[in-house]
Amino acid sequence: MIVQRQLRATDTFIFLLLRRMRAPLIVLIVSFSISILGFVLIPGVDDQGNVWHMDFFHAFYFTSYMATTIGFGELPYPFTELQRFWTIVSIYITVISWLYAFGTIISLLQDSTFRQIVKESGYSRYIRRIRDPFYIICGYGDTGHMLLHSLTERGYQAIVVDNDPQRINALPIENHPVYIPGMSVDAEDSGHLKKAGLMHPMCAGVAAITGDDKANLKIAITVKLLNPSLQVVCRAESQAIADNMNSFGTDYIVTPFRNYASLLSIALHSPVQCQLYNWLYGLSRTVVAEKIAPPSGFWVICGYGRMGKALHQRFTEAGMEVMVINKNAKVAPPGTVAGKGTEAHTLEEANIGRAVGIIAATDDDTDNLSIIMTARDLNPELYIVIRQNSYANEALFKAANVDFIMQNSFMIAREATAYFTAPLLGRFLSQMVRRSNADAELLLKRIQAAVADGEAPSTWGVDMTDVGAAGACSWLRSGKRLSISDLLQEFSHHGEEARLMVLTVVRDGIEHLLPADSFNFSEGDQILFCGQRGHKRHMRFWLSDQVALNYSMQCFEQEQATLKETSA
Amino acid sequence: MNMNKLSFAFFIILSLSINVAFFVGDIDNPDHHSAYELFVAIVVSLIATVLKFGEHSQIGAMLLATSLAADLCLISAAIVWGAAVHVLDVGLTPEMMASIVSLSGGALVANLVSVALLMLETVVVRR
């Protein structure tokens, strides 16, 4: 059994094929030899009427074309009656055995386990050949879809694992820019994760984002035990599971309810900070619209589940007056109105007329939509926050034209993408939140200037190491300087300013927030960039290619020299 | 008793015996070597090969390799025979016959290795 497990999938495939072909091949050999022997032994007559014995050469020739039903005729001389009799017998035994062999091959090709093996061997061959960093996505629901889309859009490879074969079968018909291998296996099994490339040197991270918290936990443990250097992003809906994941060093845990609650409370305090958060975290190519900030005052929250609880806590902390509507008033805080919130009288009982905003946070999309429609009728001035549970209802929520949509899968996908592609972003934003509103506004203006036409800026991280920036490293090692202004000069075109900025540089664990243009890079720096999408690829190339970097730096020096001469 | 092992051992030893039957005689004398014997040797050797298809064990793989070698030698001998008589039209000259018989000699060596491996397996795996 151990030997079998170590065999590669391709070998298993060939062994299975050969083993199943044993019986048909033996039948074929035996029937051919009987037929050939018969033709050799039976006397024939040549064109002069002499007795003539077929030799093995002619017998094999005749049997070959007879058995395969090609049938060239009676060669080299017309057959005698006895030969024809033997031909009849031979046709039946050889043609039947031939068909039997073919039938076995075809049924083998249609066999589901066999097809599984062929598929798996295809994947493992593909995964072995990957030469770029790739991510393993466990769970391919709405969240998986979004994450896969945003990762492939950023030029990363991904491998999808989900135990629902229907979701995996849908992969090839969804138009992805690159081939995405999808495995319909249980990601909780460490063997399956290994097959998906867990131990591959180019594997950069694993996203455990199935709908099941326990499964995510198991995946996180597996990854941290087998390949601790990998980045793991986990989805956790419950706090207990999140704490558990945290205990063994899961790199990033997304608890979507809490994230939305804190985002809304940041928005209440400082709309600019929220805007900054949305911009930097935004999945790119979405146009960032100016959103009116949520007003302070009296809020109504419909639904007191995990999300309702998180929101209630944050809003009371933020000093808002909050009224909860919940089906079961006993589990909710005192003063709660019992009901769904979909009927006008419940909303009126909760004083909707006096409220500045309403949050529809139940786990039923139809209920949420119904709540906001009714509430809007009663009080058209309301600021509306709605929870969207399923991506399938996207069109309805767009048409509802609300102020703020909370969609768990969207939150998870964008947090995971940001963590994978720009790990410093989370740290940077938590630093920014502590700063004043004026600082945030200033930064927002700078970012606005750095990107064109309201397109969301792209953020990405670069490590000044031999892996990501070999050219720059050898440049720095030779004692020369590389500053932010050099970088900006490389990316400016025809006198226009570069659409690029450095958000933060981490050196030896110390953060340099928004460094000045004169800042000099050194080896080992972790840098967080923000700017136009197209610059990312250019920068990766420029920093890793020594020749390109040396050439540009020499050009800059010469330009500066001529500038000095002309001014003198 | 294992029917699989029995049939395989039978075909391996039969293929060796028939090979010897064909091989014995003056190397360049066509009268000493029958085409029927070569034919049966090829058929038996092919069956022995197919019986070892898809074997996972090390010794199984070795047995498959040796019987493939034997097949190759015997089929080459048959091709030389057919070519001598029908294609080149030189007939079974002593040179041709010597070539055919020496090829079957090669198959004989491969078959001997097969039998030796078979013995080895029997001795090692005592059940």
Side-chain angles (χ1 to χ4, degrees), chain A residues 112-348:
Chain A
S112 64
T113 45
F114 183 78
R115 288 167 88 141
Q116 188 66 27
I117 288 171
V118 174
K119 250 191 193 170
E120 273 181 23
S121 74
Y123 293 145
S124 51
R125 207 177 314 127
Y126 180 83
I127 292 166
R128 262 203 310 281
R129 285 184 192 156
I130 294 181
R131 293 286 171 271
D132 299 314
F134 68 93
Y135 295 95
I136 301 173
I137 299 176
C138 305
Y140 194 59
D142 285 350
T143 318
H145 260 107
M146 287 184 205
L147 180 60
L148 178 66
H149 181 75
S150 61
L151 283 177
T152 50
E153 198 188 37
R154 284 164 167 76
Y156 290 99
Q157 285 265 11
I159 286 148
V160 174
V161 182
D162 195 306
N163 54 7
D164 183 354
Q166 271 187 331
R167 287 174 173 175
I168 296 300
N169 289 343
L171 253 177
I173 48 174
E174 297 159 0
N175 265 328
H176 295 292
V178 285
Y179 169 66
I180 306 290
M183 304 171 91
S184 56
V185 293
D186 191 357
E188 286 185 62
D189 185 328
S190 59
H192 293 153
L193 276 179
K194 274 187 183 168
K195 266 188 196 155
L198 188 65
M199 314 306 277
H200 194 287
M202 291 318 285
C203 184
V206 178
I209 48 172
T210 65
D212 178 6
D213 271 9
K214 287 234 171 84
N216 293 340
L217 183 67
K218 177 82 194 294
I219 294 165
I221 293 177
T222 311
V223 176
K224 276 293 152 199
L225 282 176
L226 293 180
N227 196 349
S229 63
L230 288 188
Q231 293 180 323
V232 189
V233 171
C234 265
R235 163 188 188 167
E237 314 258 293
S238 90
Q239 193 54 44
I241 296 276
D243 291 341
N244 193 343
M245 286 171 177
N246 221 353
S247 65
F248 55 84
T250 304
D251 298 271
Y252 196 72
I253 301 156
V254 192
T255 39
F257 300 126
R258 294 207 311 162
N259 283 19
Y260 269 120
S262 69
L263 186 60
L264 270 170
S265 78
I266 290 173
L268 281 172
H269 279 299
S270 145
V272 189
Q273 300 273 17
C274 180
Q275 181 78 351
L276 196 64
Y277 180 94
N278 273 335
W279 266 46
L280 293 179
Y281 261 113
L283 301 174
S284 56
R285 288 211 171 144
T286 51
V287 175
V288 177
E290 293 287 337
K291 271 191 184 150
I292 316 153
S296 296
F298 173 61
W299 282 78
V300 176
I301 297 176
C302 299
Y304 196 70
R306 281 173 298 189
M307 183 163 256
K309 260 182 212 159
L311 287 165
H312 181 262
Q313 192 197 343
R314 283 294 187 146
F315 271 62
T316 15
E317 274 170 19
M320 305 291 143
E321 195 189 335
V322 183
M323 172 66 86
V324 178
I325 300 176
N326 195 35
K327 253 190 251 171
N328 186 353
K330 279 174 199 158
V331 297
T336 298
V337 176
K340 255 179 157 184
T342 48
E343 319 87 349
H345 68 89
T346 345
L347 287 171
E348 271 162 359

Side-chain angles (χ1 to χ4, degrees), chain A residues 4 7 15 18-19 21-23 25-26 29-30 32-33 36-37 40-41 55-58, chain B residues 4 35-36 39-40 42-44 46-47 50-56 64 82 85-87:
Chain A
Q4 247 168 335
L7 284 170
F15 278 126
L18 291 178
R19 195 172 266 269
M21 286 311 292
R22 270 187 198 174
L25 279 179
I26 288 174
I29 292 169
V30 171
F32 261 58
S33 45
I36 291 171
L37 203 61
V40 171
L41 292 175
D55 49 25
F56 280 108
F57 174 76
H58 282 110
Chain B
N4 256 337
Y36 292 99
F39 173 72
V40 176
I42 291 175
V43 170
V44 171
L46 280 175
I47 290 174
V50 172
L51 281 176
K52 268 296 167 239
F53 267 8
E55 195 76 26
H56 278 310
L64 179 61
V85 177
H86 298 281
V87 184

Side-chain angles (χ1 to χ4, degrees), chain A residues 515-528:
Chain A
D517 282 358
S518 56
F519 187 91
N520 283 318
F521 293 118
S522 78
E523 217 182 322
D525 281 356
Q526 291 171 281
I527 312 158
L528 179 65

